[in-house]
Amino acid sequence: MSLSAPPIKSVKGALIQLNPKTGVVGIAESIPNVVQFDINPETLTRTFTPWKAEAAEGVPSPGAPVQPIEVPQKFTGFEIKIDPYAAKGSLIPPNSFSVEARLAALRKMIEPTKGLVGDLLQSVADLTNTGASDYHPPEIAPVILWLGARIILPVQIESFTITEHQHDALYYPIRATVAMELKVLTPDYFHCSHSDAAEIAIAAYEYTRAQGDLLAVANLADLSPLWRLIAPL
């Protein structure tokens, strides 16, 4: 089956890591970790795990037990390209250092963190052997996947692979491709957290789910598939 090629236009996407107690109100006091990118992939694979009624000792369940509200889902093969020479409107001029800076910000999203400034101060203290050496990571630092107006979801980066393309004289990459496996975090994941960041993550999930519910209702406006079943043309 061949598909016609629509006009190609990239959209702005971002991965935003929020630290506990640094929500909308505290955003001015703590800097979020943000990696922005342009994305328009040929394919975007989202895997949903359907809910199934549990059976007792191999006997089919006559009715549905307690059904979970949220269906697990993942983004598989999610790929972004980091190319400072292709970006437009960036405050950072095109150079290889800007690629390494984005890769460093991505790596921080899978590590325990006290925030960008807190981690930097801790690293300086460890390097100079000054200050306390004990490290107490926060409870949850959710990462928000933001793709246009359609997808705004809290995710966990389960793995990612960095492929560096070309290097400068200091061996900094000039371009890079990052392939990720992302797991969507449901509101249940944040029930034990009482931070502003957790509240923002839950609101993002509920926004995307509400949009999907609304579009499912809007689908009723198109009755042409039903009429084709009754009277094929």
Side-chain angles (χ1 to χ4, degrees):
M1 181 175 105
S2 61
L3 300 175
S4 60
I8 297 177
K9 182 179 181 181
S10 63
V11 298
K12 291 294 184 182
L15 288 166
I16 306 170
Q17 184 180 41
L18 299 174
N19 298 307
K21 306 187 187 307
T22 60
V24 176
V25 177
I27 212 76
E29 300 176 3
S30 180
I31 304 173
N33 186 12
V34 181
V35 176
Q36 188 177 4
F37 49 85
D38 290 315
I39 184 172
N40 192 357
E42 294 183 1
T43 60
L44 181 62
T45 303
R46 300 171 67 183
T47 303
F48 295 84
T49 302
W51 172 81
K52 297 179 181 179
E54 297 181 357
E57 298 181 357
V59 179
S61 176
V66 178
Q67 179 176 353
I69 298 177
E70 297 86 14
V71 175
Q73 60 174 299
K74 294 183 178 182
F75 288 82
T76 58
F78 185 80
E79 185 176 279
I80 62 175
K81 297 184 183 298
I82 301 178
D83 185 355
Y85 296 92
K88 296 181 180 179
S90 175
L91 297 178
I92 303 177
N95 57 68
S96 55
F97 175 75
S98 63
V99 175
E100 182 61 24
R102 293 194 194 184
L103 295 179
L106 278 174
R107 288 192 293 267
K108 288 187 64 61
M109 291 184 179
I110 62 172
E111 301 172 350
T113 179
K114 289 183 176 180
L116 294 178
V117 177
D119 287 346
L120 177 59
L121 295 177
Q122 182 70 48
S123 296
V124 172
D126 292 341
L127 183 64
T128 58
N129 293 322
T130 60
S133 59
D134 58 331
Y135 192 90
H136 301 287
E139 45 182 315
I140 297 178
V143 176
I144 306 297
L145 172 64
W146 195 310
L147 294 178
R150 177 194 172 203
I151 299 174
I152 305 176
L153 289 168
V155 296
Q156 178 180 348
I157 302 176
E158 295 195 317
S159 66
F160 70 85
T161 303
I162 298 174
T163 303
E164 299 178 357
H165 307 283
Q166 304 173 320
H167 297 81
D168 63 10
L170 299 177
Y171 210 70
Y172 283 101
I174 297 176
R175 296 177 176 87
T177 302
V178 183
M180 304 183 190
E181 301 293 325
L182 304 176
K183 174 184 177 181
V184 177
L185 301 181
T186 64
D188 287 339
Y189 187 85
F190 301 99
H191 280 169
C192 295
S193 178
H194 304 287
S195 66
D196 292 337
E199 295 297 329
I200 293 176
I202 293 174
Y205 183 94
E206 292 177 344
Y207 161 80
T208 301
R209 184 175 62 181
Q211 182 181 185
D213 292 341
L214 179 62
L215 291 175
V217 174
N219 178 62
L220 295 175
D222 183 10
L223 298 179
S224 57
L226 180 60
W227 287 113
R228 290 193 187 101
L229 289 175
I230 300 173
L233 298 178

